[in-house]
Amino acid sequence: MTSISLSRFLLEAQRSHPDAMTPDLRLLIEVVARACKTISNAVNKGALGNVLGNVGTVNVQGEAQKRLDVLSNEILLEANEWGGHLAALASEEMDDPHPIPNRYPKGEYLLVFDPLDGSSNIDVNVSVGTIFSVLRCPEGVREPTAADFLQPGSRQVVAGYTVYGPSTTLVLTFGQGVASFTLDREQGSFVLTQRALRIPEDTSEYAINASNRRHWDPPVQRYIGELDAGKTGPRGRDFNMRWVGSMVADVHRILTRGGIFMYPVDAKCRDKGGRLRLLYEANPMGFIVEQAGGAATDGRQRILDVQPHALHQRIGVFLGSRNEVERVTAYHLGAA
Ligand code: AHM
Ligand code: MG
């Protein structure tokens, strides 16, 4: 079987869906994928790359030493600045949007990303990942500010993530289903390994940080209580639990074999609005999950319909197998 590279996949997508895959978007995805290869190499080197370690350590010049998440942010910024496809970038690692320097042409897209999700897993050699989302820059805006990024997730034109696990996998949607690519390290390129990922509607596997149990709201207590009751409870079957602690890895498992991932707003994180971020975690993952036939809500409404009011806004997240997401959402709405 001929292997299909990411480049070929994108070119063919441009031919078959010219409205959804413009030449600039194709370039943008290629550039992000290239940056992810560089991040993958750095992650892969681990302790040999001198990039692990604590936050706040300083080198002999008294400068803060690079951590892998800061390095990943720089890799993505440098890769994406010069191509002419972006109007601005925003990231978990930066308070404010990063403008495109004046020496480069500006494009019509906005890129927002979590450069290295699951940072707490870096030093223990557990999967981490990069999450990204692409929006259109509002018409006529030359110098985008944070306000220009505050678009509901339904306006995303592309979303994706790369998981740096036993293999490096890139998962991508441009609104025509979800495809995944595996990094062939010998060739140095991403190769298409699945064309149309589908999340089964039903599942017997769930993911939640159970140490927050005492902080959960009653609908979450009820839902998880029913799952935990297993065969003898109201659901009449046993459920399995998996929790990696890197959203990318947990969502990737759900795209591969189904499941429900939850990070609800609870008493512990209510004042912050939740744990996970809307623009570069919940929205891109919500778009991908919906495109694979799953569902994504904040417990009450579709995540992609939420109107953001701040760049680093947080939100509750329930996503994955449709029937389970609908059930826990119905519990929140008092509809079941
Ligand atoms: P990060 O972007 O700072 O790494 O935080 C997001 C991560 C998610 O990957 C994961 O689901 C969650 O934080 C786990 O948080 P906690 O360990 O606090 O439950
Ligand atoms: Mg994150």
Side-chain angles (χ1 to χ4, degrees):
M1 200 189 80
T2 342
S3 70
I4 296 176
S5 64
L6 175 67
S7 303
R8 177 173 164 183
F9 175 89
L10 294 174
L11 192 66
E12 288 176 353
Q14 190 189 314
R15 287 183 191 138
S16 56
H17 298 96
D19 296 338
M21 183 57 67
T22 60
D24 267 6
L25 267 186
R26 187 161 66 86
L27 174 66
L28 192 166
I29 296 166
E30 294 258 24
V31 170
V32 170
R34 203 175 312 138
C36 288
K37 276 189 253 177
T38 309
I39 298 171
S40 175
N41 286 335
V43 169
N44 206 246
K45 281 198 183 104
L48 298 177
N50 209 17
V51 284
L52 303 182
N54 297 332
V55 188
T57 51
V58 290
N59 63 18
V60 283
Q61 287 93 29
E63 295 163 348
Q65 279 179 321
K66 296 232 186 312
R67 293 172 305 153
L68 211 35
D69 49 0
V70 175
L71 183 66
S72 304
N73 192 56
E74 285 171 3
I75 289 169
L76 279 156
L77 287 184
E78 280 168 23
N80 280 286
E81 273 183 349
W82 50 269
H85 49 282
L86 287 177
L89 304 89
S91 151
E92 178 181 333
E93 299 299 331
M94 304 181 296
D95 288 353
D96 301 309
H98 177 88
I100 297 296
N102 283 331
R103 60 185 181 280
Y104 301 124
K106 281 202 182 92
E108 56 179 308
Y109 296 105
L110 302 172
L111 176 66
V112 53
F113 52 85
D114 179 354
L116 207 59
D117 179 61
S119 313
S120 66
N121 279 329
I122 295 173
D123 291 347
V124 293
N125 201 10
V126 169
S127 297
V128 288
T130 298
I131 312 173
F132 62 96
S133 159
V134 181
L135 297 160
R136 277 198 185 83
C137 186
E139 200 98 354
V141 174
R142 289 289 301 155
E143 310 284 337
T145 63
D148 298 304
F149 284 82
L150 305 183
Q151 306 179 32
S154 54
R155 295 225 210 121
Q156 292 171 103
V157 289
V158 166
Y161 66 79
T162 304
V163 54
Y164 311 110
S167 62
T168 288
T169 306
L170 170 70
V171 171
L172 192 68
T173 185
F174 56 96
Q176 302 290 330
V178 183
S180 78
F181 305 82
T182 304
L183 180 60
D184 180 336
R185 286 193 186 274
E186 281 144 38
Q187 305 286 335
S189 59
F190 279 105
V191 175
L192 180 69
T193 34
Q194 220 176 331
R195 203 178 265 281
L197 280 84
R198 298 299 296 172
I199 300 175
E201 287 187 358
D202 290 299
T203 181
S204 293
E205 199 162 74
Y206 70 97
I208 193 164
N209 183 343
S211 71
N212 292 324
R213 186 179 299 268
R214 69 189 184 286
H215 305 296
W216 294 338
D217 287 343
V220 181
Q221 298 277 7
R222 173 184 169 196
Y223 178 69
I224 301 294
E226 291 179 0
L227 302 188
D228 288 347
K231 260 199 187 86
T232 52
R235 301 298 303 271
R237 66 180 201 271
D238 290 337
F239 285 78
N240 187 32
M241 201 268 271
R242 283 285 181 277
W243 177 256
V244 178
S246 290
M247 188 194 198
V248 176
D250 282 310
V251 171
H252 193 65
R253 183 186 58 256
I254 285 166
L255 276 156
T256 309
R257 67 179 190 208
I260 176 169
F261 170 90
M262 292 161 276
Y263 218 119
V265 178
D266 60 23
K268 189 176 153 197
C269 63
R270 198 177 321 279
D271 54 340
K272 291 194 191 134
R275 170 74 175 87
L276 299 175
R277 274 57 55 110
L278 175 58
L279 286 178
Y280 40 84
E281 292 176 326
N283 272 346
M285 291 311 202
F287 188 20
I288 291 167
V289 163
E290 283 196 4
Q291 283 291 315
T297 76
D298 67 354
R300 297 178 169 274
Q301 71 173 127
R302 184 179 173 230
I303 284 176
L304 300 190
D305 285 340
V306 173
Q307 172 62 51
H309 53 76
L311 195 55
H312 299 285
Q313 179 176 341
R314 295 173 192 253
I315 190 167
V317 174
F318 298 82
L319 60 78
S321 291
R322 171 168 296 280
N323 289 338
E324 291 305 314
V325 174
E326 283 177 358
R327 177 184 283 264
V328 70
T329 304
Y331 287 7
H332 281 85
L333 296 172

